[in-house]
Amino acid sequence: MFSKILIANRGEIALRIIRSARELGYKTVAVYSEPDSNSLHTMLAHEKICIGPGKASESYLNIPHILSAAEITGADAVHPGYGFLSENPRFPEICETSGITFIGPPSSLMRLMGDKNQARQEMKKAKLPVIPGSEAIVEDLTEAKKAAQKIGYPVILKASAGGGGKGMRIVHSPVQMEEQFSLAQQESKAAFGNPSLYLEKYIQGGRHIEIQVIGDKHGNSLAFGERECSIQRKHQKLVEESPSPLIDERFRRKITKAAQEAVQHLNYQSLGTFEFLVDSHKNFYFMEANTRVQVEHPITEMVYGLDLIKEQIKNAAGQKLSFPSHPKINGHSIECRVNAEDAETFAPCPGKIEFLALPGGEGIRTDSAAYGGWVIPPYYDSLLAKLIAWAPSRQEAIKKIRTALEMTTIVGVKTNIPLQLKILSHSDFIKGNYDIHFMDKFVSPKGSS
Ligand code: ADP
C-alpha cells in the first residue's frame, strides 16, 4: 500500500486517476500549472500544489518540480497518466532513486519500447509480425532510398522517438524521398530532440487495431480483446470502438495470442497497448507499443466491466492480477473525443466555457474535467470530454452515442461535435466498413469539410 498518490497530469485523465485512487482508499495530490489553478483536478484531489507556469516544459514536464511536490506532500507514488512524462524513462528512473513508486512499467521497458525502431526489432524476436521495413535507422538519403527500393513504394518515414503522429511522412517515389527525408528528420529533431528515422511499407486501406495488455510483478499477464481506432485525422484518433466490427472470434484469438506472447517475452509489467495495422487480407502487423494508459481505455473497461486504473495501481503496489485468464467481451462500446476546436477548420478553440451540460443516463459515461465558467488554457491539448457509450449491440451503441452527442450542450467555445455526428451518421461507419482513410471523406486538402 502507498500512503498518498500524486497525479503528474491534468485534465480528464487526472480526474480519472483521482476517482480510482479514492475508491481504493488512497489520499491524492494534484499538481497544477498557474493557468490551471481553477481546474477541476485541483478541487477534487485531497491536496494540491503549484508546479510552475503554463508552459508544459516549466510545469507538467518538469521532473524536479514534480518530485519536490511529492516530497513536500509526502506522496510515495506517482501516476503519470498519458502524454507529458508518461513515456519518458528518465521519470521512473529518478522516481526509483527518490524512493517513489512510479505507477507504470519499469524504466528499462519504457526505454526499450519508446524507441520505435528498437521495439520493432525486439518484437521480431518475440515472433510478432512487424510491418516490412528498414532493418535499422536510415542514416541518410542514400540509405533511405535504398531501403525504400527494397521494400517497394509507397513507404512511410517514421521518427524512431516518435509519437502523436509527428515526424511521419508518406513517400510515393524516389523524387518525393529527396523532398521529404530531411524535412522529416528536422521535424523529428524539433519534436523529440532526436532526428533518427526508419522506414515501413505504407499499408493502404489498413485498420488500426490495438490490444490492451496488463502484467503484474509476479510474471502474470493478460491480453484483452481489441479496440478499433481507425477513425483518425492526421494520425490522431477521433472515435474508437470495442469490439472492432472487422474482427471475429477466431481472429481475436489469433491477435490476442500474439500480443500475449509478446508481453510474456518482455515480462511486461503494468498497463500497455500493442498497436497493430491490419491489412485488407486480415494480416496483422505490429506498429508500436505504448507503455502507459491510453486515452481510449474506457471502451475496454466498458466491455469487460473492470477498472484498468485501479488494476494498474494495485499492480504497482505489488498485488497480483485479479482477472480471469480468458475474460469475455460483453456488448459494445464507442468513445468520441469531444475537442474544443472548430469542426470545419480543426483550429483549437481555447477560451471560457459559458455553459456546459454533459449527457448521462444508462450506458453513458463522460470522462471530462470541463465545467461551466472554466477557462480552457491555450497551452495544452484540446480534449474537452470523452463521451463513452455502452449497449448490448453495436447498432444500439451508435444510437446511444449519437443521442449523447446531440444532448451535449457547450456554450462559449466551439467543439467538433458537428463533425462527430457526421462520422456517426455516415453509412460506411454504420456498416462498420471503414479504414484509416475514412476521414478523407470529410476533409478537403485545404482542411475544410
Ligand atoms: P504515433 O506513435 O506517432 O501515433 P503510429 O506508429 O502509432 O504513430 O501510427 C499512427 C497512425 O499512422 C496509425 O494508426 C496509422 O493510421 C498510420 N500508420 C502508421 N504506420 C503506418 C503504415 N506503415 N502504413 C499505413 N499507415 C500507417
Side-chain angles (χ1 to χ4, degrees):
M1 286 289 283
F2 310 117
S3 63
K4 230 181 245 180
I5 299 177
L6 181 144
I7 295 108
N9 216 301
R10 65 182 296 281
E12 68 85 21
I13 194 63
L15 285 197
R16 170 72 193 83
I17 297 161
I18 291 170
R19 174 157 61 81
S20 290
R22 290 182 80 118
E23 282 180 21
L24 288 172
Y26 286 113
K27 293 263 184 282
T28 53
V29 179
V31 294
Y32 64 97
S33 65
E34 284 157 13
D36 262 343
S37 61
N38 288 323
S39 289
L40 210 49
H41 74 290
T42 68
M43 304 178 205
L44 296 179
H46 297 88
E47 285 171 71
K48 60 176 180 174
I49 188 158
C50 184
I51 49 164
K55 250 175 107 182
S57 58
E58 294 171 32
S59 49
Y60 297 106
L61 289 172
N62 189 317
I63 298 177
H65 287 192
I66 291 171
L67 290 184
S68 305
E71 200 178 320
I72 292 165
T73 55
D76 53 357
V78 170
H79 196 304
Y82 55 69
F84 295 125
L85 291 169
S86 64
E87 289 182 284
N88 179 346
R90 285 293 295 146
F91 191 34
E93 259 164 29
I94 298 173
C95 285
E96 281 154 26
T97 58
S98 312
I100 291 172
T101 303
F102 176 81
I103 302 177
S107 53
S108 52
L109 259 172
M110 281 169 70
R111 199 173 286 287
L112 173 67
M113 300 316 274
D115 180 322
K116 292 170 71 165
N117 176 56
Q118 224 181 313
R120 269 168 62 80
Q121 307 311 329
E122 191 65 31
M123 289 302 93
K124 280 191 204 166
K125 288 188 209 155
K127 307 265 181 305
L128 207 55
V130 302
I131 301 176
S134 55
E135 294 299 321
I137 299 298
V138 282
E139 300 289 350
D140 54 32
L141 180 62
T142 316
E143 274 191 22
K145 277 178 153 176
K146 219 165 124 189
Q149 209 59 48
K150 204 166 148 204
I151 303 161
Y153 288 96
V155 296
I156 184 164
L157 276 169
K158 286 189 169 183
S160 197
K166 290 202 192 89
M168 280 198 298
R169 304 275 168 139
I170 302 159
V171 182
H172 293 269
S173 64
V175 175
Q176 263 191 358
M177 184 66 89
E178 279 165 27
E179 291 159 9
Q180 299 295 332
F181 185 79
S182 60
L183 289 175
Q185 261 190 336
Q186 281 161 26
E187 197 176 309
S188 173
K189 176 103 177 53
F192 312 109
N194 175 354
S196 302
L197 301 176
Y198 65 101
L199 275 180
E200 278 177 359
K201 175 86 190 153
Y202 183 70
I203 311 262
Q204 298 276 6
R207 294 180 76 133
H208 176 120
I209 301 286
E210 60 184 37
I211 301 290
Q212 176 72 58
V213 302
I214 187 163
D216 66 18
K217 295 183 177 180
H218 308 277
N220 306 302
S221 58
L222 192 60
F224 292 94
E226 75 286 355
R227 292 188 287 257
E228 160 91 60
C229 309
S230 301
I231 310 281
Q232 307 175 349
R233 182 186 162 266
K234 287 198 171 169
H235 310 301
Q236 297 280 358
K237 300 159 190 167
L238 274 172
V239 177
E240 302 99 349
E241 60 178 317
S242 180
S244 162
L246 176 78
I247 287 185
D248 57 23
E249 195 48 43
R250 201 159 150 244
F251 187 79
R252 179 169 304 118
R253 271 205 297 274
K254 211 165 129 186
I255 195 165
T256 48
K257 185 167 174 275
Q260 175 82 48
E261 282 167 9
V263 166
Q264 273 162 357
H265 169 87
L266 292 168
N267 189 19
Y268 196 86
Q269 288 167 37
S270 193
L271 288 184
T273 295
F274 282 69
E275 296 190 334
F276 296 92
L277 260 187
V278 180
D279 71 14
S280 51
H281 306 291
K282 282 204 179 178
N283 297 307
F284 63 88
Y285 303 98
F286 168 80
M287 255 189 313
E288 66 160 345
N290 289 321
T291 53
R292 56 168 166 82
V293 65
Q294 302 274 97
V295 177
E296 59 275 18
H297 76 277
I299 55 174
T300 302
E301 297 185 321
M302 299 296 267
V303 294
Y304 283 102
L306 50 85
D307 183 323
L308 288 167
I309 302 276
K310 265 192 197 166
E311 207 58 38
Q312 190 186 25
I313 295 173
K314 287 199 268 181
N315 286 179
Q319 292 183 33
K320 284 191 177 162
L321 277 188
S322 58
F323 299 121
S325 50
H326 296 290
K328 284 249 166 315
I329 291 187
N330 176 30
H332 199 94
S333 185
I334 303 178
E335 174 183 279
C336 284
R337 300 190 189 191
V338 175
N339 296 330
E341 65 189 20
D342 188 302
E344 299 276 311
T345 63
F346 301 101
C349 273
K352 184 170 180 184
I353 301 175
E354 301 291 348
F355 178 83
L356 175 117
L358 293 176
E362 190 261 322
I364 292 294
R365 163 175 168 184
T366 56
D367 282 16
S368 174
Y371 63 89
W374 181 52
V375 180
I376 305 171
Y379 301 97
Y380 315 111
D381 69 33
S382 56
L383 182 65
L384 199 59
K386 301 186 317 203
L387 298 191
I388 305 127
W390 180 92
S393 72
R394 183 169 187 268
Q395 291 311 317
E396 287 166 285
I398 293 175
K399 280 192 199 138
K400 252 186 199 298
I401 193 87
R402 268 208 311 243
T403 309
L405 282 163
E406 284 161 2
M407 293 184 71
T408 302
T409 313
I410 301 171
V411 181
V413 295
K414 290 183 180 171
T415 75
N416 64 348
I417 290 178
L419 175 67
Q420 292 280 13
L421 282 168
K422 276 194 214 167
I423 295 170
L424 293 163
S425 306
H426 196 284
S427 59
D428 285 341
F429 181 81
I430 291 167
K431 285 186 227 142
N433 179 20
Y434 61 83
D435 60 31
I436 54 172
H437 310 295
F438 177 82
M439 286 306 294
D440 298 349
K441 300 182 201 329
F442 298 89
V443 188
S444 78
K446 284 198 190 105
S448 59
S449 57

